[in-house]
Amino acid sequence: MEVHVEKELEQFRQEVERLRAGRKAGSGPFPEPLRAFAVRYLAHALEKGDTLKAVVERLGVSEPTLQAWRRGQTPGGKKTQSSEQGAAPLKPVVVHPPKQHAPSPVATTFAVVSPQGWRVEGLGLEEAAQLLRRLAC
């Protein structure tokens, strides 16, 4: 196997040991990146002709746990969030603030309604201003 994969395997085992030391058996699932590495490692090793038993021993996790991860589950049968959604691995994205749009235009026509009830509609701003001036309002 490649040196890079062996280095990742060693980091995986160290992280598994660190996590096990600080938690009770059967507590929360291992982080998604660890589970994803184990599944990739298993697929790679099986393609090379390794046995499941040999991979389990190298990874330091139980066979049922590794099989559950392979099915996209955490031990105990719970689906992982990514397997529930059928999603690909997360990818970083850049979020930009929304573009500033010009303020929405004000009404282009106006209506003038008198206290007596007459109504003049469809006037532009200048026309409405002239009407109000002539009416001395």
Side-chain angles (χ1 to χ4, degrees), residues 44-58:
H44 179 73
L46 291 177
E47 284 177 11
K48 299 284 185 188
D50 279 337
T51 64
L52 179 61
K53 184 177 179 179
V55 173
V56 164
E57 288 174 9
R58 274 188 297 226

Side-chain angles (χ1 to χ4, degrees), residues 112-120 131-132 135 137:
V112 177
V113 181
S114 76
Q116 293 81 21
W118 54 262
R119 181 179 187 99
V120 179
L131 176 62
L132 292 172
L135 293 172
C137 295

Side-chain angles (χ1 to χ4, degrees), residues 100-108:
Q100 296 295 326
H101 296 286
S104 56
V106 292
T108 55

